[in-house]
Amino acid sequence: MDKFVIEGGHRLSGKVAVAGSKNSLLALIPAVLLAPGIYRIHNAPNLRDVWTFSRLFGSMGVHAELNNNELFLDSTTITSFEAPYEHVKKMRASIYALGPLLARHGQAKISLPGGCAFGPRPVDLHLKGMERLGAVIELDGGYINAKAERLHGAKFNFDISSVGATVNMLLAASLAKGTTLLTNAAVEPEVTALARMLVKMGAKIDGIGTTTLEIEGVDDLKPVDETNIPDRIEAATLLIAAAMTRGKITMTNVNPYHMTNVLAKLEEVGCTIDVTGETIELEMNDAPQPAHITTTPYPGFPTDVQAQWTSLMCLANGTSRTTDTIYTTRFGYVPELVRMGASIDIVDNSAIVQGGKPLKAATVMSSDLRASACLVLAALVAEGKTDVLRIYHLDRGYEKLEHRLTALGANIKRVHTEEF
Ligand code: EPZ
């Protein structure tokens, strides 16, 4: 078990490159089940979630190797159509195997995902969508047992915008017989990245980047090489870290168009931001102004950045509100920030921050991936040395974060510990 020991008070400055997107890569990997062969995905981040996912697909017969941020995948021989609980319990995205297994092999046995630290995360839209495409689905013993002679095109409207369900339906519809019309589809960059890869593989998809996707199923697809998009959530996290330390950083390998809402809010609270191509420069010389954010599906403020934003608002002199409309209980980090001296109340699906009180070092515990990031950010400005426990959460979604923060001037050490 590892923890971070972080000495607060060091200003972040210098240059940092953003890693490839975790959530985009997790959407691209299942596509290899649609066409046998060799795939190379460049700009693949070296993350726990990527290794976990690769082991899951390895159990189905896919050979995966990750070297120097290139993911090599060989799906020539698929030997299993099952995503067992041992893998799914670690990775909700394992359900992405459902669509492609049904589309190409006519069967799938996928463990139902558990909940997670910030509440239940149902998969009803995934199941309803597959049934609309002709799958027969039975739930038994915590597993989804799905069968289909051959999926057929259909119209399907997402009752709510869902990244994962849109990913699953895109994967399934690509090989379904006939045309599928998806409405109220998610438009997150990760969905668009998958759609573009599927088109490169030979899929016929119209409306990419919009909430209406029309997919004309084909009989066969082919393996391709692809380059993963930058991680907009990691980028937002690093920009907020720089803002909190009143620093000045130059961020490269980023797509600013994927984070316009976050950039606008950072400017609103006083950051100076310059965007040039794939580079973002941020400078902050004062405490942030208080500001309210409400998370909504893309291109709104991302729910995956709300915890980090709340850390920033602890430094603002005044009252701020963070509201999450996507995961209404995603506030597990709040009691930990309060232990560091923050004044935050949770009211319904909002965290109300009375900012401006100095944060002080404490031993704090990560509860999920983005909560751990928020605690690391708070520790960067807290007085004294903070221990952030259960860093395995952080390792799911941030590659070598301590090395990159150290390169920017932070005092952060990874320490092995028996503390749990
Ligand atoms: C993806 O999760 C991301 N994960 C999450 O990032 C992110 O928080 C989330 O999208 C929202 O942006 C990956 O991409 C691997 P959803 P996903 O389906 O697909 C409800 C991180 O930190 N819903 O868009 O699971 C759901 O409960 C992770 O990197 C249903 O009701 O999210 C939620 O309220 C955490 N039924 C809303 O929709 C369903 O069948 C949006 O969820 C599916 C979802």
Side-chain angles (χ1 to χ4, degrees):
M1 195 70 68
D2 288 350
K3 66 179 178 180
F4 276 168
V5 179
I6 302 171
E7 182 185 70
H10 299 274
R11 184 174 176 273
L12 298 188
S13 65
K15 207 169 185 179
V16 63
V18 173
S21 164
K22 164 180 86 80
N23 290 347
S24 172
L25 186 61
L26 296 179
L28 301 184
I29 292 171
V32 310
L33 295 174
L34 293 171
I38 306 274
Y39 299 71
R40 288 177 184 80
I41 303 179
H42 310 293
N43 198 29
N46 184 3
L47 300 170
R48 270 184 79 226
D49 270 9
V50 175
W51 289 103
T52 304
F53 221 45
S54 299
R55 278 194 296 275
L56 163 67
F57 284 81
S59 72
M60 297 178 199
V62 175
H63 176 66
E65 283 177 29
L66 178 59
N67 292 305
N68 301 323
N69 297 118
E70 178 174 288
L71 184 59
F72 169 92
L73 296 157
D74 181 352
S75 64
T76 306
T77 312
I78 299 301
T79 54
S80 163
F81 309 126
E82 181 172 344
Y85 181 65
E86 64 177 293
H87 293 292
V88 177
K89 69 184 176 186
K90 299 174 204 152
M91 287 280 300
R92 168 185 166 75
S94 306
I95 193 157
Y96 290 174
L98 177 63
L101 285 173
L102 275 173
R104 183 145 176 274
H105 300 280
Q107 59 179 303
K109 181 179 181 184
I110 314 280
S111 167
L112 278 167
C116 66
F118 44 90
R121 293 175 69 186
V123 292
D124 57 307
L125 295 173
H126 297 248
L127 304 182
K128 277 183 204 163
M130 295 304 147
E131 288 176 329
R132 288 301 301 274
L133 298 180
V136 175
I137 289 182
E138 285 173 5
L139 301 185
D140 179 36
Y143 275 81
I144 302 162
N145 295 298
K147 289 194 183 313
E149 278 305 304
R150 179 169 181 194
L151 294 179
H152 57 69
K155 285 183 182 176
F156 182 70
N157 181 68
F158 295 91
D159 295 342
I160 51 175
S161 177
S162 162
V163 172
T166 303
V167 163
N168 233 332
M169 289 297 281
L170 267 174
L171 290 162
S174 297
L175 286 180
K177 186 169 178 55
T179 301
T180 296
L181 185 70
L182 302 179
T183 51
N184 196 31
V187 292
E188 273 70 1
E190 297 76 37
V191 172
T192 298
L194 171 63
R196 288 187 173 142
M197 178 175 166
L198 290 170
V199 168
K200 273 177 84 170
M201 291 171 64
K204 292 178 181 163
I205 304 172
D206 284 327
I208 294 176
T210 77
T211 57
T212 301
L213 295 168
E214 186 169 88
I215 306 104
E216 188 185 327
V218 296
D219 293 333
D220 292 299
L221 294 168
K222 64 182 186 328
V224 295
D225 290 354
E226 184 57 297
T227 298
N228 187 24
I229 61 173
D231 194 313
R232 62 192 171 100
I233 306 302
E234 176 190 86
T237 305
L238 291 168
L239 288 175
I240 292 172
M244 288 178 72
T245 62
R246 302 191 190 186
K248 180 177 181 181
I249 68 166
T250 299
M251 177 176 283
T252 60
N253 296 7
V254 64
N255 185 331
Y257 294 101
H258 290 168
M259 42 197 308
T260 51
N261 196 300
V262 170
L263 296 179
K265 292 306 283 189
L266 284 168
E267 284 186 317
E268 181 186 320
V269 300
C271 297
T272 302
I273 290 181
D274 287 311
V275 173
T276 314
E278 295 181 351
T279 298
I280 297 174
E281 287 191 354
L282 178 143
E283 182 169 2
M284 181 67 152
N285 298 307
D286 299 301
Q289 294 300 311
H292 306 319
I293 60 119
T294 299
T295 71
T296 56
Y298 189 87
F301 197 98
T303 175
D304 294 347
V305 181
Q306 63 97 330
Q308 301 91 308
W309 182 266
T310 303
S311 272
L312 174 66
M313 289 296 98
C314 292
L315 309 183
N317 294 307
T319 305
S320 308
R321 187 178 59 250
T322 296
T323 299
D324 200 329
T325 66
I326 295 178
Y327 297 114
T328 57
T329 59
R330 195 176 189 175
F331 297 103
Y333 61 88
V334 167
E336 300 304 297
L337 287 179
V338 168
R339 295 181 62 248
M340 296 177 75
S343 174
I344 309 175
D345 292 310
I346 297 174
V347 178
D348 299 329
N349 61 327
S350 296
I352 314 294
V353 184
Q354 303 300 335
K357 300 178 177 62
L359 296 178
K360 295 195 183 321
T363 297
V364 290
M365 189 159 66
S366 310
S367 51
D368 65 72
L369 167 56
R370 305 307 174 181
S372 56
C374 131
L375 297 176
V376 170
L377 267 52
L380 290 175
V381 297
E383 204 179 299
K385 280 194 178 185
T386 297
D387 285 11
V388 181
L389 304 183
R390 300 187 181 182
I391 279 307
Y392 62 85
H393 288 292
L394 194 91
D395 293 335
R396 293 190 57 172
Y398 293 92
E399 181 178 344
K400 302 191 189 86
L401 188 64
E402 70 272 28
H403 300 162
R404 295 153 79 211
L405 288 175
T406 300
L408 289 172
N411 181 328
I412 175 172
K413 300 278 183 294
R414 178 186 290 262
V415 173
H416 183 70
T417 175
E418 296 309 314
E419 286 175 271
F420 183 68

